[in-house]
Amino acid sequence: MNPLRPLLSATLLLAATAPIVLAQDDEPTNRRQVVPMDSTRARQLYVSNRPEDHPSANYEQQMKSKARTDSIFAARAQGVVKFSKVKYKSQAGGLEIPAYLFEPLNPKGPKQHAAMVWVHGGVHGNMDQNYWPFIREAVQRGYAIITPDYRGSTGYGKEFHEAIDYGGMEVDDVESAAEVLKALPYVNPERLGVMGWSHGGYITALLLTREAQGTPFKSGAAIVPVTNLLFRLSFKGPSYQRSFSTQAAVRGLPFEKRAEYIRRSPYYWVDSLKVPLLAHVATNDEDVNFEEARPLIDALQARQPKLSETKVYVNPTPGPTSVGHTFSRRVNRTTLERDDSPEQIDSWNRVWAFFERTLGK
């Protein structure tokens, strides 16, 4: 018999029956500390998850502004490009989507032209007249261009405004615009591209990554794109979060709906890229800050070097809003002509060369 067994048994019995003494740091922490409530800070931080609390807008004023944009496009297009305002049904629920269609005045012939969907930016943004000089150049280069005001865009009233589905059905709305282009007899359906800025760049990236299987697009350009909603919402704070957490298809913040926000973030879909993607970002961007943009650029360079073409513009000449965020959308708001900077010229030269290479001349 092991002479130590009685001693070990006694020690174990003593340990099992002895009272447990917790150090102060080991005390249970599930009791919530009572702190004085700062009502002002509480109001600033509160973020609802109810669709009825989604931020509203001056819908009447937005509709007047949209009518003005329509008239400006119509006037500017005369004798320059063929212009029309069209509607089409989205593949997501059949919602009717308004869009601007810009076509060459004299198409070459059946299936002789490439075409692109251009996607506007902004949470509740819209395609406006400040894109005109770039649209005109695209059409003069031979492209047909359609610019959809997808669900949630401004200028179409309260119901359309509140149908916003950021990174959800709006992506289907944009993809559905390709069917309008395919129906044009002079457009080659095998030569379709997509391009967007900011939120529009975000939709572009999702179309070429998450939705890449079966996409009608052969290439795309994402300029200063939103990339990662998990990061973005934490970086921007409650005032920005309220436009997301109250969307009917989301209803919550990233910590509550983590999988949904990941699904809606292009950064997490880089490995799914199937066609060429160009991405330009700016270090002085004060909307899609470089802290958000750089990880996408790094991921594309590291994991998709054959399909991606990226450029980081270091402190480019500021654009009309958010410093570097609009560095390649510098337009004289009165004449609607390009207000070029060296960086804007360089970015657009790279964009045109990219599409000529990927869609053909």
Side-chain angles (χ1 to χ4, degrees):
M1 179 176 176
N2 186 344
L4 295 178
R5 172 174 277 181
L7 180 59
L8 289 171
S9 299
T11 303
L12 290 172
L13 177 62
L14 180 62
T17 58
I20 299 175
V21 180
L22 294 176
Q24 186 173 356
D25 290 343
D26 295 330
E27 291 180 355
T29 57
N30 58 351
R31 186 175 299 170
R32 183 174 179 179
Q33 180 182 1
V34 177
V35 296
M37 179 68 74
D38 182 335
S39 59
T40 300
R41 180 170 172 79
R43 283 193 297 271
Q44 291 173 339
L45 295 178
Y46 177 70
V47 179
S48 172
N49 64 354
R50 305 189 313 163
E52 56 265 38
D53 295 331
H54 189 76
S56 60
N58 186 334
Y59 305 114
E60 183 178 351
Q61 182 57 45
Q62 288 178 345
M63 293 173 77
K64 289 180 180 178
S65 179
K66 177 52 65 172
R68 179 172 177 270
T69 292
D70 293 356
S71 65
I72 291 173
F73 274 141
R76 293 278 177 164
Q78 288 186 10
V80 180
V81 304
K82 181 182 177 182
F83 166 75
S84 57
K85 187 87 180 275
V86 301
K87 294 180 179 180
Y88 62 89
K89 289 188 181 295
S90 172
Q91 62 195 32
L95 182 66
E96 197 168 68
I97 306 299
Y100 300 108
L101 180 62
F102 304 89
E103 306 176 66
L105 288 176
N106 300 297
K108 294 179 181 179
K111 298 186 178 181
Q112 293 298 303
H113 291 256
M116 285 191 272
V117 179
W118 279 20
V119 195
H120 71 73
V123 182
H124 295 303
N126 72 98
M127 179 56 65
D128 64 36
Q129 63 271 14
N130 295 312
Y131 290 87
W132 166 249
F134 310 114
I135 293 171
R136 179 185 62 199
E137 182 174 357
V139 177
Q140 290 173 340
R141 286 175 174 268
Y143 299 101
I145 302 292
I146 188 169
T147 64
D149 278 334
Y150 45 86
R151 68 186 70 206
S153 296
T154 59
Y156 302 96
K158 184 175 187 290
E159 184 177 356
F160 199 80
H161 178 97
E162 293 184 345
I164 184 172
D165 190 15
Y166 197 111
M169 289 184 287
E170 65 174 14
V171 180
D172 300 301
D173 298 344
V174 173
E175 185 175 277
S176 300
E179 297 304 314
V180 179
L181 297 176
K182 289 179 180 180
L184 300 174
Y186 62 87
V187 167
N188 186 332
E190 298 300 317
R191 297 172 61 197
L192 300 184
V194 59
M195 179 175 179
W197 298 261
S198 189
H199 177 198
Y202 160 91
I203 291 177
T204 296
L206 281 178
L207 283 167
L208 301 187
T209 55
R210 190 187 77 190
E211 307 297 334
Q213 187 172 359
T215 181
F217 304 111
K218 301 304 179 185
S219 64
I223 311 300
V224 294
V226 171
T227 70
N228 186 344
L229 295 181
L230 291 180
F231 175 90
R232 185 171 182 79
L233 267 68
S234 68
F235 206 70
K236 298 299 183 182
S239 62
Y240 190 81
Q241 293 166 358
R242 293 182 187 111
S243 291
F244 288 81
S245 64
T246 52
Q247 291 180 28
V250 179
R251 301 188 186 219
L253 290 171
F255 77 93
E256 300 170 290
K257 298 294 181 73
R258 186 180 303 165
E260 189 61 36
Y261 280 98
I262 288 174
R263 189 181 76 85
R264 294 171 185 245
S265 297
Y267 173 71
Y268 298 103
W269 294 94
V270 166
D271 293 325
S272 299
L273 185 66
K274 297 293 191 298
V275 299
L277 172 65
L278 174 146
H280 288 173
V281 302
T283 60
N284 57 350
D285 192 329
E286 292 188 357
D287 186 321
V288 181
N289 303 82
F290 192 52
E291 291 88 345
E292 177 184 353
R294 181 167 186 169
L296 177 68
I297 299 299
D298 290 346
L300 288 170
Q301 291 175 344
R303 306 208 303 271
Q304 295 286 11
K306 293 182 179 179
L307 288 177
S308 65
E309 181 177 315
T310 64
K311 184 169 176 62
V312 174
Y313 288 86
V314 179
N315 296 327
T317 306
T321 59
S322 301
V323 194
H325 190 60
T326 51
F327 83 94
S328 68
R329 283 178 284 158
R330 293 172 49 87
V331 174
N332 184 304
R333 295 313 205 231
T334 301
T335 65
L336 296 186
E337 295 296 335
R338 286 173 56 153
D339 180 18
D340 275 332
S341 67
E343 299 87 358
Q344 174 159 290
I345 293 171
D346 182 77
S347 179
W348 277 100
N349 284 346
R350 290 172 183 272
V351 165
W352 295 130
F354 171 79
F355 280 122
E356 285 189 3
R357 187 172 68 255
T358 58
L359 300 181
K361 287 190 177 182

